Amino acid sequence: MTSFQLLLDGFAAALTPVNLLYALIGVTLGTLVGVLPGIGPAMTVALLLPITFTVPPTSAFIMFAGIYYGGMYGGSTTSILLNTPGESSSMITALEGNKMARRGRAAQALATAAIGSFVAGTIATALLVVAAPAVVAFAISFGPEDYFALAILAFTAVSSVLSRSIVRGLASLGLGLVIGLIGIDQQTGQARLTLGIPQLLDGIDVVIVAVGLFALGEALYVASRLRHAPPEVVPVGRAWMGRSDWRRSWLPWLRGTALGFPFGALPGGGAEIPTFLSYAAEKRLAKGVAKEEYGKGAIEGVAGPEAANNASAAGTLVPLLTLGLPTSATAAIMLAAFQQYGLQPGPQLFDHNPALVWGMIASLFVGNVMLLVLNLPLAPLWARILRIPRPYLYAGIVLFAALGVYALNATIVDLFVLYVLGLLGYAMRRFGLPVAPAVIGMILGPMAEIQLRRALAIGAGDVTVLIRSPVAVALLLLSVLALLTPLFRTWYARRARNRTDADTTSARP
């Protein structure tokens, strides 16, 4: 069957009344939680992860897709109204969006963010439909050494891109790999790092790790730095755009989409680079009134980066669904959701569970429409939710995380592990260690270990089997490049700074 026929089958599943209800619940909950200050898409998805496990897999992932896109939109609302980005990729939106809000144009800023999210999400999802089968056809030929090299690429790319230093990223990755070792060795049957606790023989559930490190750790960290003054929320009217706003926004939406999707699909590409490039491009292309407004609240500076952010979010689904490769923190949580159902994203997922995969992809189109219809009239309501006192907010997050985790297996050990991981997540934030590499290391570590053992068994213990495949060699070279790129950036920035200082010194009389 062609991709178009499979997509039509996916729409047949996504447009049933029950799944439409789950999609609506997903986008509503995702926006509701994502709009709260300090809560980004990754934390939103981690916090709402346990509630998806009481429904059938197809319906659960349709709701999950809604939560994913809803959390993405919610982050732009806090950036515009509170100047509090929920994640690093929303920082660029805050630059011009919050200044627009302070000039009395909060409604226009929220409208261009909502419509830009819809345009970028729809186009990027269509590109996902085209790109995914091609990547799957390529990935079917992968051997154990190729999958091991792919895991190494995921480890190095995420560790170097999502952290301020390579050392801290690799340290976080090491913690995740250790957590992934807990349980019974699948080949020897030996218990590893279980401390004699029977409940740990099956390992630590990925949901507990995701909720503990992301949701609980973030809640504890933010709560430790609460300001007693209530947040200043800019008043919002009905979200709307005038003719001039439409004329100034539609090209940035398209340019942002063109930048965001390829970067999201690349291992370690992320959303930070395309949002920054979009902002820089729009600032360079600005003329007349737009050029004068930059730094004071230019609508192009909201439209372009927000479109790039959402297109990148759809792009991350390409390596996640086709290769099982998470390229962002949110994608790592989504991988945890798949594994909770006993599913492993990759080429076989498209063959064995086509209804689930294509139903989820079709629901992304449906969820985009729902988000647009929901958020344009409800912008004033989301602004009121931002006034929730922070102590109540984060106390509720801790309670909700505990209830969700306890509902998994109804054991006190899970709660104890949750709070230990929550304290670990707090300590990692306190000392500047990124959380995403730890979660990805915990999820992909066992898979990398199994594929390494298989490859060595096939090669009769010869280590060179790991570099006999051209694909494995290419992936390992990309891994080395991912580690060296931040070093080159630092060296180039230091060299440019020294050159500037030397020119300044020589110019003095």
Side-chain angles (χ1 to χ4, degrees):
M1 297 178 69
T2 65
S3 299
F4 182 71
Q5 291 173 316
L6 291 168
L7 182 62
L8 290 179
D9 291 341
F11 273 111
L15 294 177
T16 60
V18 172
N19 286 338
L20 282 175
L21 178 61
Y22 281 123
L24 180 61
I25 293 172
V27 297
T28 305
L29 286 177
T31 307
L32 176 64
V33 177
V35 81
L36 295 172
I39 301 179
M43 184 176 173
T44 302
V45 173
L47 191 61
L48 297 177
L49 186 58
I51 70 172
T52 63
F53 298 145
T54 58
V55 294
T58 302
S59 300
F61 281 99
I62 286 175
M63 181 165 68
F64 207 72
I67 292 172
Y68 181 41
Y69 271 9
M72 291 295 299
Y73 175 79
S76 66
T77 303
T78 55
S79 298
I80 292 169
L81 299 182
L82 281 181
N83 199 23
T84 308
E87 61 170 356
S88 56
S89 59
S90 297
M91 291 171 58
I92 305 299
T93 302
L95 290 179
E96 300 295 330
N98 187 251
K99 291 183 174 63
M100 283 185 67
R102 293 183 181 279
R103 288 175 50 203
R105 287 173 52 80
Q108 288 80 3
L110 289 172
T112 194
I115 299 172
S117 300
F118 169 76
V119 172
T122 302
I123 296 175
T125 306
L127 293 174
L128 169 65
V129 172
V130 176
V135 178
V136 167
F138 171 68
I140 288 175
S141 61
F142 274 27
E145 66 280 5
D146 299 320
Y147 275 108
F148 175 71
L150 189 65
I152 296 298
L153 176 59
F155 295 154
T156 55
V158 174
S159 299
S160 60
V161 172
L162 297 182
S163 60
R164 287 179 290 177
S165 72
I166 297 177
V167 174
R168 292 181 179 183
L170 293 177
S172 174
L173 174 67
L175 289 173
L177 292 174
V178 171
I179 296 173
L181 289 175
I182 297 174
I184 295 178
D185 184 349
Q186 295 186 20
Q187 285 198 336
T188 65
Q190 295 294 317
R192 301 186 298 192
L193 305 177
T194 59
L195 304 176
I197 302 174
Q199 288 85 351
L200 295 181
L201 290 175
D202 290 332
I204 299 178
D205 197 295
V206 290
V207 177
I208 301 176
V209 176
V211 175
L213 290 180
F214 272 100
L216 190 56
E218 181 73 13
L220 293 175
Y221 180 75
V222 176
S224 69
R225 284 159 172 73
L226 283 179
R227 292 176 294 181
H228 296 289
E232 180 186 356
V233 183
V234 179
V236 181
R238 183 180 179 86
W240 65 279
M241 294 173 60
R243 183 176 300 177
S244 173
D245 296 325
W246 281 94
R247 187 175 63 253
R248 294 173 56 181
S249 295
W250 71 274
L251 280 176
W253 291 335
L254 297 179
R255 286 191 288 258
T257 304
L259 284 170
F261 183 80
F263 274 93
L266 289 173
E272 294 82 4
I273 296 176
T275 52
F276 175 77
L277 289 177
S278 174
Y279 181 80
E282 299 306 326
K283 187 174 183 180
R284 182 169 298 180
L285 293 171
K287 299 177 181 178
V289 176
K291 190 171 184 178
E292 296 175 1
E293 287 185 353
Y294 259 91
K296 305 174 185 176
I299 195 170
E300 293 87 350
V302 179
E306 195 59 29
N309 190 13
N310 282 270
S312 174
T316 59
L317 295 178
V318 175
L320 176 65
L321 294 177
T322 58
L323 302 173
L325 179 66
T327 58
S328 69
T330 313
I333 309 300
M334 294 187 72
L335 181 59
F338 275 102
Q339 293 190 345
Q340 181 65 23
Y341 278 98
L343 302 171
Q344 179 60 47
Q348 294 183 347
L349 185 67
F350 281 77
D351 290 335
H352 297 164
N353 301 93
L356 186 151
V357 175
W358 290 100
M360 177 182 172
I361 293 175
S363 71
L364 294 176
F365 289 101
V366 178
N368 264 315
V369 176
M370 286 183 173
L371 273 173
L372 186 65
V373 174
L374 186 71
N375 285 307
L376 285 179
L378 292 184
L381 175 62
W382 302 138
R384 292 192 186 96
I385 292 173
L386 293 173
R387 299 182 185 275
I388 295 176
R390 301 291 181 89
Y392 299 149
L393 169 63
Y394 289 99
I397 289 174
V398 173
L399 176 63
F400 190 81
L403 289 176
V405 165
Y406 185 76
L408 293 175
N409 301 307
T411 171
I412 300 298
V413 174
D414 285 351
L415 286 178
F416 179 76
V417 173
L418 171 70
Y419 288 118
V420 170
L421 290 174
L423 291 174
L424 176 63
Y426 166 78
M428 292 174 70
R429 289 168 173 82
R430 172 66 179 79
F431 295 104
L433 270 67
V435 179
V439 177
I440 291 176
M442 182 266 171
I443 295 173
L444 292 185
M447 184 272 285
E449 179 188 15
I450 291 173
Q451 299 297 344
L452 174 62
R453 286 181 168 182
R454 287 177 180 172
L456 293 176
I458 293 172
D462 186 2
V463 180
T464 59
V465 71
L466 299 177
I467 55 174
R468 289 178 186 173
S469 166
V471 175
V473 172
L475 292 173
L476 291 174
L477 289 176
L478 287 175
S479 303
V480 174
L481 183 63
L483 283 177
L484 295 180
T485 298
L487 297 178
F488 284 133
R489 287 178 183 169
T490 303
W491 173 80
Y492 183 78
R494 186 181 296 119
R495 183 181 176 186
R497 187 167 56 250
N498 292 338
R499 187 185 299 121
T500 302
D501 293 342
D503 292 342
T504 304
T505 303
S506 61
R508 291 175 181 170

